[in-house]
Amino acid sequence: MSSRSSFLTSFVNSPRIVGVVGAGILAGYDIGLSHSVIPALVNSSLPGDRLVAAWNQILNTTAGFTIPVIVGSTVAFLEAAYKASIRTTQVKTIFGLTNGRQLVIAAFATFAVLPYSAITATPVVYRLKGANKDIEESRSKGGIAFVDDVSVKEDVAAWGKTNAVRAVLFTASFVLGLTAV
């Protein structure tokens, strides 16, 4: 069997593919958010109330799939790491690590997004959700919603920077999982 076919066989027959695909989807999504969508929103002439509404729509869309994909990818990487660690021959990856160790690092990097987000993004999310709630309540009463446009833009930009770090972690997981043969 050639080395090419054994590489493809080991990749496809492994739970690693679930981890790699999940990390790749999340990396692409967060890269798109942090480098295209969020800067476009922040640099737009949208008033603060509309900016908060747009941000809230993005958050609600993201929240539904992010955590399950993170958990699924982490578990898949850990299962692949276990399978790699019980092999009789241990191979080194291009990073000089064993497959099992590299997949554990990929799992850690994927899962690390959850506590990182909880610590860094939670205050910003609460402020923006509070502004969104105030706007919705004011509009439901027929009033005019007032928010500080500058602070809303700063908070949305800060949330975008948090997503950029998340994208780096997901990209690292993707590359580590992809290169662990």
Side-chain angles (χ1 to χ4, degrees):
M1 181 182 285
S2 74
S3 65
R4 180 183 172 110
S5 65
S6 66
F7 169 77
L8 293 175
T9 303
S10 69
F11 184 78
V12 173
N13 289 335
S14 172
R16 183 181 79 182
I17 194 166
V18 173
V20 168
V21 169
I25 288 169
L26 293 170
Y29 187 78
D30 277 351
I31 288 169
L33 276 179
S34 60
H35 294 290
S36 297
V37 176
I38 299 300
L41 283 175
V42 170
N43 294 325
S44 72
S45 60
L46 285 175
D49 60 330
R50 297 206 188 271
L51 182 58
V52 167
W55 171 85
N56 194 53
Q57 182 65 37
I58 292 167
L59 181 72
N60 290 338
T61 303
T62 304
F65 76 89
T66 302
I67 292 175
V69 174
I70 289 171
V71 171
S73 296
T74 300
V75 169
F77 278 138
L78 290 174
E79 183 179 348
Y82 172 73
K83 287 182 176 183
S85 70
I86 60 173
R87 286 189 197 146
T88 55
T89 57
Q90 295 294 319
V91 224
K92 299 277 185 178
T93 66
I94 60 171
F95 298 110
L97 302 167
T98 63
N99 289 339
R101 187 167 289 162
Q102 186 163 317
L103 289 167
V104 167
I105 295 169
F108 177 77
T110 303
F111 190 77
V113 168
L114 293 176
Y116 169 77
S117 297
I119 293 167
T120 60
T122 300
V124 174
V125 169
Y126 282 143
R127 283 193 303 271
L128 289 169
K129 279 187 170 227
N132 189 58
K133 183 180 177 186
D134 292 345
I135 291 166
E136 288 175 356
E137 287 175 357
S138 176
R139 286 190 179 149
S140 70
K141 295 176 184 175
I144 298 173
F146 293 104
V147 293
D148 181 14
D149 291 355
V150 174
S151 66
V152 166
K153 283 189 179 200
E154 288 173 354
D155 283 344
V156 171
W159 188 75
K161 289 176 185 172
T162 300
N163 273 334
V165 173
R166 289 167 44 118
V168 168
L169 289 169
F170 289 137
T171 302
S173 297
F174 175 77
V175 169
L176 288 169
L178 192 64
T179 59
V181 179

